[in-house]
């Protein structure tokens, strides 16, 4: 089983990354830090006669890595009650990939994958982060991903997540699930 982790934070070693590392510790995973890649915003050309224009950025290599994986972990800080901008830009581009002749089996390949979300934020994230989880659930349902679950953690300042015993326990449980 191959696992890809898509890190959506702009911060190195932020709380979301720290919590996610508790999940993937000692597992063989492909770590993709979205901030390290150029991902241009989508230009919506769904209704254009010729469809989408090709885009000169790093997105294709990222989507290729996603398609090679059996499990996807979306790790994003909760920014303004939603996913990070870079994570959203990456997922928005799926609209283009669904119609891309180079990826004719995109949805059917995505339907063979399991997905998890790990998100950390402040301001009552275990309640106020639920709309983010619902958004991911809808995204997964639309694209065919098998949405398996999520972890919401609380933290604002560096390493605050280490005080969230519930989230750390859920991280250990998810690691066990991924090693079965």
């Amino acid at each position: 089983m191959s696992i890809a982790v898509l890190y959506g934070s702009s911060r190195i070693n932020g709380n979301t990354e720290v919590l996610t590392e508790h999940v993937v510790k000692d597992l063989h995973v492909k770590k993709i830090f979205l901030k390290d890649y150029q991902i241009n915003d989508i230009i919506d050309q769904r209704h254009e006669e010729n469809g989408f224009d090709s885009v000169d950025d790093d997105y294709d290599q990222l989507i290729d890595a996603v398609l090679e994986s059996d499990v996807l972990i979306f790790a994003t800080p909760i920014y303004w009650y939603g996913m990070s901008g870079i994570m959203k830009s990456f997922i928005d581009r799926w609209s283009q990939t669904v119609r891309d002749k180079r990826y004719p089996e995109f949805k059917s390949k995505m339907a063979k994958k399991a997905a998890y979300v790990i998100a950390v934020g402040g301001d009552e994230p275990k309640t106020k982060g639920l709309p983010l989880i619902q958004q991911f659930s809808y995204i997964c349902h639309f694209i065919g991903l098998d949405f398996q679950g999520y972890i919401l953690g609380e933290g604002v300042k560096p390493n605050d997540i280490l005080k969230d015993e519930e989230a750390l326990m859920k991280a250990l449980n998810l690691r066990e699930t991924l090693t079965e």
Side-chain angles (χ1 to χ4, degrees):
M1 170 175 57
S2 60
I3 302 169
V5 181
L6 297 146
Y7 292 92
S9 182
S10 60
R11 188 181 348 164
I12 297 170
N13 296 319
N15 285 305
T16 304
E17 184 178 343
V18 169
L19 181 59
T20 304
E21 290 301 310
H22 274 74
V23 172
V24 300
K25 181 181 176 186
D26 299 326
L27 298 177
H28 179 69
V29 301
K30 174 139 182 85
K31 297 180 181 183
I32 301 169
F33 293 87
L34 295 175
K35 69 176 182 53
D36 294 338
Y37 296 89
Q38 180 184 345
I39 305 170
N40 294 349
D41 291 333
I42 191 167
I43 297 173
D44 188 354
Q45 296 175 305
R46 288 176 294 165
H47 307 292
E48 301 287 326
E49 185 176 325
N50 295 322
F52 287 92
D53 293 331
S54 64
V55 179
D56 184 23
D57 65 1
D58 299 326
Y59 173 80
D60 286 349
Q61 78 181 73
L62 296 173
I63 206 64
D64 289 341
V66 163
L67 290 172
E68 293 171 0
S69 303
D70 301 311
V71 175
L72 304 176
I73 299 174
F74 297 93
T76 181
I78 302 172
Y79 288 161
W80 291 101
Y81 310 99
M83 69 182 77
S84 67
I86 188 110
M87 182 72 73
K88 183 71 168 78
S89 290
F90 174 71
I91 291 173
D92 281 352
R93 289 285 295 281
W94 291 4
S95 295
Q96 185 172 353
T97 308
V98 166
R99 292 165 177 80
D100 193 325
K101 290 177 175 53
R102 296 172 301 149
Y103 298 96
E105 298 175 5
F106 178 65
K107 283 183 84 170
S108 64
K109 287 183 178 181
M110 293 296 272
K112 297 175 183 171
K113 301 175 188 322
Y116 297 88
V117 173
I118 300 172
V120 178
D123 193 21
E124 302 175 44
K126 294 176 185 179
T127 300
K128 295 179 180 179
L130 291 174
L132 166 68
I133 299 305
Q134 186 176 39
Q135 180 183 27
F136 268 105
S137 174
Y138 290 147
I139 290 166
C140 290
H141 178 76
F142 179 82
I143 208 70
L145 279 166
D146 182 10
F147 184 64
Q148 292 284 308
Y150 65 91
I151 302 171
L152 289 172
E154 185 166 2
V156 177
K157 294 179 182 175
N159 291 315
D160 272 356
I161 190 61
L162 297 175
K163 300 173 195 169
D164 187 338
E165 293 179 19
E166 178 186 358
L168 293 172
M169 182 58 68
K170 288 181 177 183
L172 292 175
N173 291 339
L174 179 52
R175 182 184 335 146
E176 288 177 14
T177 298
L178 293 172
T179 57
E180 294 176 347

